[in-house]
Amino acid sequence: MASFIEQLHRKYAADVNRYLLSLTKNHHIAEEITQETFYRAYIFLHNDGIENEKSWLFKVAYNTYIDHLRKNKKTVSKDDDYFQRLKAYEKSIEEQYEIKEMLHELLLKLDELPVKQKQAILLADFHEFSYKEAAEILQITPNYFKILLFRARQKLRHDRGTDDE
């Protein structure tokens, strides 16, 4: 059993951590929740096999994140420059600056979305989960997930359109 969880950790720890970092905006909290996620995965792992390991782990991560929020409602810490620190590959200084500004704007706009809509964007567009997998992670129906994703994308497009005018 331990070797299976070690394999899961090697395969998905970075993805789970990035997902949690995008939710928490704090490197240390994301690491803490990532560790708790794999601890819970180990405890609740059943021998009957998991259909989709990655979506199952993201569901555990999401539930661990929600539990963390409930425990620490009064403690909110944000690291706004997470996306700004992403490395731009071989771009000119101007292109790097434009990318940095676009990512900063995207992060700000994502933070303005309702929590479920933000989750939908992160799971579908950033982590490339299928609608079904993302819906399972959020514990909602696939149809409701599609509605959340549509509304989130629509809101982001609308905000981008009004900023350009």
Side-chain angles (χ1 to χ4, degrees), residues 25-120:
K25 314 282 187 305
N26 183 296
H27 177 72
H28 300 292
I29 293 173
E31 283 185 6
E32 181 182 317
I33 298 173
T34 300
Q35 289 176 359
E36 179 68 18
T37 296
F38 281 94
Y39 173 72
R40 288 182 183 191
Y42 176 74
I43 290 174
F44 295 112
L45 196 60
H46 300 290
N47 293 333
D48 56 358
I50 299 166
E51 188 175 314
N52 186 326
E53 299 165 347
K54 188 174 180 182
S55 64
W56 178 75
L57 270 175
F58 270 67
K59 186 175 184 177
V60 174
Y62 174 73
N63 289 332
T64 306
Y65 168 71
I66 294 299
D67 289 346
H68 172 79
L69 285 181
R70 288 180 185 141
K71 283 188 228 173
N72 302 301
K73 278 188 178 183
K74 296 176 185 167
T75 306
V76 177
S77 177
K78 294 192 177 197
D79 184 9
D80 287 340
D81 56 316
Y82 166 71
F83 286 142
Q84 295 173 3
R85 290 183 271 143
L86 294 176
K87 184 177 177 183
Y89 299 105
E90 299 177 16
K91 302 283 182 185
S92 71
I93 300 294
E94 294 85 15
E95 289 174 323
Q96 288 180 25
Y97 180 76
E98 287 176 15
I99 290 170
K100 187 176 179 180
E101 285 299 309
M102 287 173 35
L103 288 173
H104 180 70
E105 287 177 28
L106 177 61
L107 179 63
L108 291 175
K109 289 179 181 178
L110 277 175
D111 282 341
E112 292 173 4
L113 292 175
V115 174
K116 291 276 189 183
Q117 288 181 12
K118 178 180 175 181
Q119 293 280 346

